[in-house]
Amino acid sequence: MTPETITISQNKISKIKRETFPVLEMTCTACAVSVESTLKMATGVKDAGVNFANQSAWVEYDSSVSQPADLQNAVRSIGYDLVVDVEDPEAVQEEAQRKHYTEVKNRTLWSSILSVPVVLISMFFMTMPFGNYISMILTAPVVFWFGQNFYINAWKQARHGKANMDTLVALSTGIAFIFSTFNTFFPEFWHQRGLHAHVYFEAAAVVIAFISLGKLLEERAKSSTSSAIKKLMGLQPKTVRVMVDGAELEIPVASVKVGNVIIVKPGEKIPVDGVVRNGSSYVDESMISGEPVPVEKIAGEKVFAGTVNQKGNFHFEALKVGGDTILAQIIKMVREAQGSKAPVQKLVDKIAGVFVPVVIGIAILTFTIWMLAGGDNAFTHALLTSVTVLVIACPCALGLATPTAIMVGVGKGAENNILIKDAESLELAHKVNAVILDKTGTITEGKPVVTNLSWQAENGSAQMKSILYALESKSEHPLAEAVVNELKKESVDNVAMTAFESLTGRGVKATFDNNLYFVGNKKLLQENHIKLTTTAEQLATNWQGEAKTVVFFATHKTVLAVIAIADKIKTTSKAAIAALQNKGIEVYMLTGDNEQTAKAVASQVNLKHYQAEVLPSGKASFVKALQEQGKVVAMVGDGINDSQALAQADVSIAMGKGSDIAMNVAKITLITSDLQLLPKAFNLSRNTVIGIKQNLFWAFIYNVIGIPLAAGVLYPINGFLLDPMIAGAAMALSSVSVVGNSLRLGNSKI
């Protein structure tokens, strides 16, 4: 339940609640405006906001005056719905979105199927018997059934005194269909006046089909927003085992209370935040810190919800449950960051908002002037010219301008291993002037490997390698795997060790052929009075200065080998960062790792700006701070711990080998996890935006020239009136120009 804020005013206690509700049936930004204004006017509501991008509304209301059901009724009164008083509102919203997506997909499919024969008839069989009637019958369901949403949305826009793409689609297709139907039933009206009765059914059908395809792609992209939240929620187990009066009892995670003692077994997810009371293990905390090496947990150490236990067993006491856990805070921040971004008003909608009223005004003015000054054929000329104006203003090229460039841009990105899920990010990426990079898995490989293995004196025999391999194979320490993988390259044999013992926080020891062997840190050597040679100590000092973890292999008398383990920097990272800096882009590195490691990595890739020991919320705050300075920020990460910052950033980019959640939150994914693709993505964005602007030019140049001709400006001079068929041809030519220019983008270099 959302916390309540209690205020006292005029001796009356009022309870102000702030709650967030999923909203159903919104299809455009005007819908969001309508829902928001309705909520703000509802009784008891102090403030409200609606986000079209994630289909939700937040409301601050006086619970002593109004209830969620009242808010729901207010929203229902204008044709939308608010999800309240259900156990899982997100699931209800998800199901509604799934149904809506299916409806849009079916509309697109059937409108496309019915449009094909209409186009064939208009292009190749214009004189076939009953051709116009067949076209009319096939076009009618496309326009008035599969395209009904365009008319409904256009009406909603008109109620708010606005116009957008839906208005343009509804107006042009509706006029084209009505005019064509009239000409089909009453062709003699024009024949008697010496004119041919043209029909434009194909224009109406094709426009509906293509714009429906654009809507389908939009819905598909929008549906990915909630999947990241869903996957984050999936990190928490549904049930947990707790100790009650000495007995083990399984209960739902929602029933866990502060103070409960919870049992965690190998491989299980930790359900809530707490502190270890007994037992020990290593826990993968990469979702919080982003670091690949699991952290050792012994009595007194804190553990966090969503992290994964490795091989050990332990009991811990719950300290934070429900919405107070670190995982819950991450989920909340991701949701708020996604919701805080108001949907960008697309350039085409902005143009349409001006273009539609202008076209309507010109059509009405044309009709009026011809009625007043048209002479004997005043009505004929008035009707013909006004309809021609509307036909030549058909939005086919305008509808193609952005989607075709985006489609080609997305395809070009895919060819170069850049997966683009969101047109808005593709349009915005070229404006980025600040890039934030996560360290682990982004700049580095994200997996500890042996970088150096120095055998002391003549100790590197096959038998010694086999003993080291056997020791590390038995070890539960996460770094042991790196040593095992390194030795596997040499095809070493495994040997039977006896008296194996794991020494918490130090290493391991075991016996082979009556000799005692150790693998571990410097503390292990000191406890067993094993002396370090000058050479070994110097190597260890040097490698630790490079932010590497040093492990020693020794007998009970002497050190046999010194091993350095680190998360290697990708070979392409330095060049990619230099390329970004050469573009004038500021590059920052944020990591949850320690200062020494962060400094070493930053130095190796020539990065001036970095921060160490940064929590997930700190990364998101850093992004927000740069945005407040007026910067367009791109966040590049690969882990769950990066999801908040990715959601907050203007452009979110995930590494393809990273976590599924990072890739779901991000709008762009670098499939090969190569940072050198980052400058290419920005270049692709620039080329695509240039292509869109060129397309809009071609989409409108025909209108700029054609509309005055359609209105009859040349008639007083030479008696020329633009035939609606020629107007339709001009519209088609503008579409061809747009498609051709978009295809040209596919051959451009990035």
Side-chain angles (χ1 to χ4, degrees), residues 103-156:
E103 289 173 5
V104 174
K105 184 167 67 174
N106 290 336
R107 288 202 299 265
T108 303
L109 176 64
W110 284 106
S111 60
S112 300
I113 290 172
L114 293 175
S115 296
V116 171
V118 177
V119 172
L120 292 175
I121 291 171
S122 67
M123 292 180 66
F124 304 108
F125 306 100
M126 292 178 287
T127 58
M128 71 177 287
F130 305 107
N132 287 355
Y133 289 96
I134 294 171
S135 294
M136 180 186 67
I137 291 170
L138 292 174
T139 303
V142 174
V143 173
F144 298 112
W145 181 252
F146 300 118
Q148 62 179 305
N149 273 19
F150 295 109
Y151 294 89
I152 294 170
N153 295 337
W155 170 244
K156 288 179 180 179

Side-chain angles (χ1 to χ4, degrees), residues 651-689:
V651 179
S652 50
I653 303 170
M655 309 305 276
K657 295 178 182 178
S659 73
D660 288 345
I661 291 170
M663 286 186 279
N664 271 275
V665 174
K667 301 303 183 184
I668 299 175
T669 299
L670 307 182
I671 298 172
T672 61
S673 292
D674 184 352
L675 274 181
Q676 285 191 315
L677 295 178
L678 199 52
K680 286 189 175 185
F682 295 158
N683 291 338
L684 177 63
S685 170
R686 185 191 66 244
N687 293 349
T688 304
V689 170

Side-chain angles (χ1 to χ4, degrees), residues 7 29 31 45 94 156 185 247 256-257 262 278 360 467 474 486 507 552 565 584 619 627 632 661 726:
T7 60
T29 51
C31 299
V45 172
E94 187 177 338
K156 288 179 180 179
F185 285 107
V256 175
K257 293 181 170 53
I262 299 170
N278 58 70
I360 295 172
I467 293 169
K474 288 179 173 290
E486 180 67 18
F552 300 94
I565 301 171
K619 291 185 179 182
Q627 289 171 328
V632 179
I661 291 170
I726 297 175

Side-chain angles (χ1 to χ4, degrees), residues 569 574 589 597-608 610:
I569 293 173
K574 185 175 181 180
M589 181 184 78
T597 302
K599 184 177 181 180
V601 171
S603 175
Q604 290 178 61
V605 294
N606 293 334
L607 262 179
K608 296 179 181 177
Y610 71 90

